[in-house]
Amino acid sequence: MLASLGALGLGAATAGCGSGQTSAAGTVTLNFQWWGGDDRNVATAKAIELFERRHPKIRVTTSFSGYQAYFQRLATQVAANSGPDVLQMDYYELRAYAADGLVANLDGAEFSGISLGGIPRTYVNGNRLDDKLYAVPTGISTQALFVDPKIWRKAGIGLPKAGWTWDDLLNEVGPALKRAAPGRAALTDFGGYSETFNVWLVQRGKSIYRSDGSLGFTVADLTAFWELTARLRDKGIFTPPNVTASYDGSTDSSPLVRKLSTAEFNITSTATPYFQAYGDVAAVPFPTLSAGAPLGLTAGAGAMCVQQRCAHKREAALFLDFLLNDPAAGGILGVVRGLPPNRSVLNQLGSSLTGGDRVVYEYVAAMEKRFASAPIPPSGSDEDKLEFRRVYEDLLFGKQDVRGAAAKMVEKYRTTVPQG
């Protein structure tokens, strides 16, 4: 899912290890570190130039990399009592860094310069642990089905509205799509993604992890989910196992892009790559239990933290406030980290967005009032995601039955969660 983040080598000025430098002239130096591709890196550099003009006594040195290299390097830095002052943080890593005392509680008085009044509380509170704020949201994303609108309209079903059901998919939508595009599966099989399982759980008032990091579902729940995906596969609505297994999350391997399916699950930040590789796509919500049932969508809002050992926390707060709330910074950054969480900045950008960015903007605007909270996962949960896919592939190719595969996966979860 994160393949679009790229695998760039370390770049930019790699100075600064959170050293808290202050020059003889009274200039403070902050180091800012993030991961991302070229568009994110170029836009961030331009925003920093503006910040430094606004705050001539604060200098920001930078470093960036691809996702995997980023956390490998960060782990080495913090182990050596080094690393950046301000850092981008991943949803799956935040609990571990907070528990180890490596990132600061942003509710502290030294961070009063960060204004969060223009950001919906859902996005702010998604970064709280034990009632303490350890990160600020930087870009909104959620889950969606990306569909080929021409084929879905040709099938006579149009684009589903919030509240369409799993029975609709099984009995009406899936068969109609097969008739409209006989050379394609209706949907790319999403049974191997823990993110889609979580959508299914949230629709039922549960989630993979509870707010304390403990496990929030049972073997019976996962069995029921994988029984549903088996029915979709058996009816030919899902891609066949060999096609499903060939999809690694990249645009190049996408069954939708390869014209082997008409729709695909992904996170909304991937809309623009779909437009670039495939053409026009539309975003629709997942089917759910009934018209009035929860949609199962959760808000991912990105995160930026301040390292606990940062010697210039007030200046770091000014920098984060600028990135979050300044209209000019918002114009420069655009949607390189997802949709801006600040309402006024987002509305300022909204009318100028096109293509995939426009699709995501309209989708989030329509759905966000129905977003559910997303508990921060425990440390090690990124490995659970990989194991979920491996176990599902064993299921696809007949190496395990549904109940056995579900039991095996839950046992893996119980080695990760603190109260497993």
Side-chain angles (χ1 to χ4, degrees):
M1 293 292 191
L2 296 171
S4 62
L5 295 175
L8 301 178
L10 292 174
T14 56
C17 297
S19 58
Q21 296 173 332
T22 305
S23 72
T27 299
V28 166
T29 298
L30 297 172
N31 178 257
F32 177 35
Q33 199 162 295
W34 71 90
W35 73 80
D38 286 343
D39 57 343
R40 179 179 295 178
N41 302 333
V42 170
T44 303
K46 289 180 180 178
I48 289 171
E49 288 176 9
L50 175 60
F51 176 79
E52 290 181 331
R53 289 199 300 271
R54 299 263 188 89
H55 301 276
K57 293 292 187 180
I58 305 176
R59 179 171 176 260
V60 181
T61 62
T62 64
S63 57
F64 56 85
S65 71
Y67 179 81
Q68 296 289 349
Y70 176 86
F71 278 101
Q72 291 169 359
R73 182 180 183 220
L74 185 62
T76 301
Q77 289 172 323
V78 297
N81 291 321
S82 180
D85 298 292
V86 180
L87 59 147
Q88 188 175 350
M89 181 54 64
D90 182 73
Y91 174 68
Y92 286 92
E93 300 286 346
L94 179 57
R95 187 181 292 271
Y97 277 80
D100 290 341
L102 300 172
V103 291
N105 174 9
L106 301 181
D107 288 319
E110 60 268 59
F111 296 107
S112 60
I114 303 175
S115 173
L116 299 173
I119 300 172
R121 302 312 295 175
T122 299
Y123 305 135
V124 175
N125 292 336
N127 292 313
R128 288 191 181 277
L129 283 166
D130 299 325
D131 243 4
K132 297 176 182 177
L133 184 67
Y134 287 103
V136 293
T138 55
I140 303 165
S141 64
T142 189
Q143 307 84 21
L145 283 173
F146 288 104
V147 311
D148 182 320
K150 292 180 181 178
I151 294 177
W152 281 57
R153 290 187 179 112
K154 177 184 175 183
I157 53 178
L159 299 180
K161 303 295 184 182
W164 70 301
T165 69
W166 292 105
D167 285 341
D168 292 337
L169 175 60
L170 278 162
N171 302 321
E172 299 173 25
V173 175
L177 288 168
K178 288 176 63 180
R179 292 190 295 269
R184 300 191 189 193
L187 275 68
T188 300
D189 187 339
F190 51 65
Y193 292 103
S194 59
E195 294 91 341
T196 58
F197 176 48
N198 195 64
V199 169
W200 187 88
L201 285 173
V202 173
Q203 292 175 351
R204 289 153 177 79
K206 299 183 178 183
S207 60
I208 291 179
Y209 306 106
R210 299 189 182 98
S211 59
D212 63 358
S214 62
L215 206 60
F217 71 98
T218 65
V219 172
D221 292 322
L222 184 51
T223 299
F225 176 68
W226 278 343
E227 286 176 344
L228 170 64
T229 62
R231 290 176 65 196
L232 290 163
R233 191 166 57 253
D234 291 344
K235 293 189 71 167
I237 295 170
F238 269 177
T239 45
N242 64 313
V243 172
T244 302
S246 70
Y247 180 37
D248 62 9
S250 68
T251 303
D252 288 344
S253 67
S254 158
L256 175 60
V257 171
R258 293 158 60 198
K259 296 183 169 56
L260 299 174
S261 72
T262 76
E264 196 159 275
F265 164 82
N266 218 318
I267 53 176
T268 51
S269 58
T270 61
T272 294
Y274 277 119
F275 264 77
Q276 293 169 342
Y278 181 79
D280 187 29
V281 297
V284 301
F286 264 60
T288 187
L289 292 169
S290 65
L295 300 183
L297 303 178
T298 56
M304 284 188 193
C305 303
V306 176
Q307 192 175 177
Q308 177 59 43
R309 65 184 301 276
C310 172
H312 301 292
K313 291 184 173 68
R314 293 187 184 278
E315 289 80 2
L318 288 175
F319 180 54
L320 285 178
D321 184 74
F322 170 81
L323 294 177
L324 286 172
N325 300 316
D326 188 274
I332 294 169
L333 293 168
V335 295
V336 296
R337 285 186 169 83
L339 294 176
N342 179 290
R343 293 291 90 173
S344 61
V345 173
L346 179 59
N347 292 336
Q348 166 189 292
L349 284 175
S351 61
S352 65
L353 296 175
T354 60
D357 296 335
R358 185 73 190 177
V359 166
V360 172
Y361 172 73
E362 292 177 350
Y363 176 73
V364 169
M367 301 298 157
E368 69 174 347
K369 288 183 179 178
R370 297 180 68 175
F371 287 170
S373 61
I376 296 172
S379 177
S381 52
D382 52 340
E383 286 297 318
D384 292 339
K385 288 174 58 179
L386 298 175
E387 185 66 14
F388 198 94
R389 179 175 172 83
R390 286 192 288 265
V391 171
Y392 191 67
E393 288 191 4
D394 286 346
L395 178 59
L396 286 179
F397 292 105
K399 296 179 181 179
Q400 291 221 249
D401 61 19
V402 171
R403 177 78 184 185
K408 178 180 180 180
M409 189 61 233
V410 170
E411 187 59 34
K412 171 62 178 70
Y413 275 112
R414 285 174 175 157
T415 67
T416 302
V417 298
Q419 298 176 36

